[in-house]
């Protein structure tokens, strides 16, 4: 049974296995990984995990151009299957291209309903946070992700060119 867990240095080896499965240079949506992050060494990995935790704390200052964001890993036992992130608000860039929620499932764990399950869990957390709707985007050609968003109640606003490429933009209402 999968669960959402906060990023932790304890899962370094398991996270690296998932990371390597994605392949070099492939974006891992929802992971919060930046090109400058050192995730190979235990020290670098621990620093990255600490940054992810700090970004979720609304009491802490956040870098210019960033918003507070809470990250979870989708884990089954000691296997990292994917990641999902909830941005607490939108800035101009996120409104155009990124949305409130980003997620990714490692290739070997796809087609098991994990993205649908994780998105449902995070939508509940977004509602509890006080959001009444969230924006979720996906690449125009990513039909699997579009189906996940639509199953969660996503209403297609438009398809547009963004800084991240051509994207489908959905709003998901979060009734109380």
């Amino acid at each position: 049974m999968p669960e959402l867990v906060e990023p932790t240095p304890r899962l370094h080896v398991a996270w690296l296995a998932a990371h390597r499965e994605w392949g070099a240079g492939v974006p891992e949506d929802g992971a919060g990984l930046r090109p400058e992050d050192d995730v190979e060494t235990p020290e670098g990995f621990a620093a990255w995990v600490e940054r992810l935790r700090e970004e979720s704390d609304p009491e802490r200052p956040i870098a210019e151009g960033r918003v507070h964001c809470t990250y979870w890993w989708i884990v089954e036992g000691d296997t990292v299957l994917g990641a999902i992130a909830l941005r607490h608000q939108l800035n101009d860039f996120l409104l155009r291209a990124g949305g409130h929620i980003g997620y990714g499932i490692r290739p070997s764990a796809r087609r098991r309903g994990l993205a649908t399950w994780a998105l449902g869990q995070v939508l509940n957390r977004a509602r509890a946070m006080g959001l009444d709707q969230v924006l979720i985007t996906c690449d125009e050609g990513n039909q699997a992700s579009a189906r996940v968003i639509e199953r969660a109640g996503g209403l297609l606003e438009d398809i547009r060119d963004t800084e991240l490429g051509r994207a489908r933009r959905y709003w998901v209402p979060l009734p109380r």
Side-chain angles (χ1 to χ4, degrees), residues 5-25:
V5 301
E6 287 185 11
T8 173
R10 180 183 68 78
L11 291 172
H12 183 207
V13 172
W15 189 90
L16 280 177
H19 175 66
R20 289 189 177 107
E21 192 175 303
W22 282 88

Side-chain angles (χ1 to χ4, degrees), residues 83-130:
I84 189 163
L86 171 61
R87 297 172 192 100
H88 301 188
Q89 63 191 42
L90 299 177
N91 59 22
D92 289 340
F93 168 75
L94 294 172
L95 182 60
R96 287 189 311 274
H100 284 97
I101 297 174
Y103 54 85
I105 305 296
R106 72 190 283 177
S108 65
R110 293 178 183 160
R111 303 185 56 83
R112 293 180 39 197
L114 291 166
T116 299
W117 172 83
L119 180 56
Q121 297 294 306
V122 172
L123 290 173
N124 289 333
R125 294 171 193 215
R127 183 181 300 108
M129 190 182 283

Side-chain angles (χ1 to χ4, degrees), residues 4 70 72 84-87 99-103 114-137 145 147-155 170-176:
L4 295 182
T70 302
W72 296 275
I84 189 163
L86 171 61
R87 297 172 192 100
H100 284 97
I101 297 174
Y103 54 85
L114 291 166
T116 299
W117 172 83
L119 180 56
Q121 297 294 306
V122 172
L123 290 173
N124 289 333
R125 294 171 193 215
R127 183 181 300 108
M129 190 182 283
L131 297 174
D132 57 2
Q133 65 178 352
V134 294
L135 176 65
I136 308 175
T137 69
S145 191
R147 284 190 301 274
V148 166
I149 299 165
E150 290 166 2
R151 275 195 295 269
L155 305 170
Y170 293 88
W171 287 97
V172 180
L174 300 174
R176 303 257 178 243

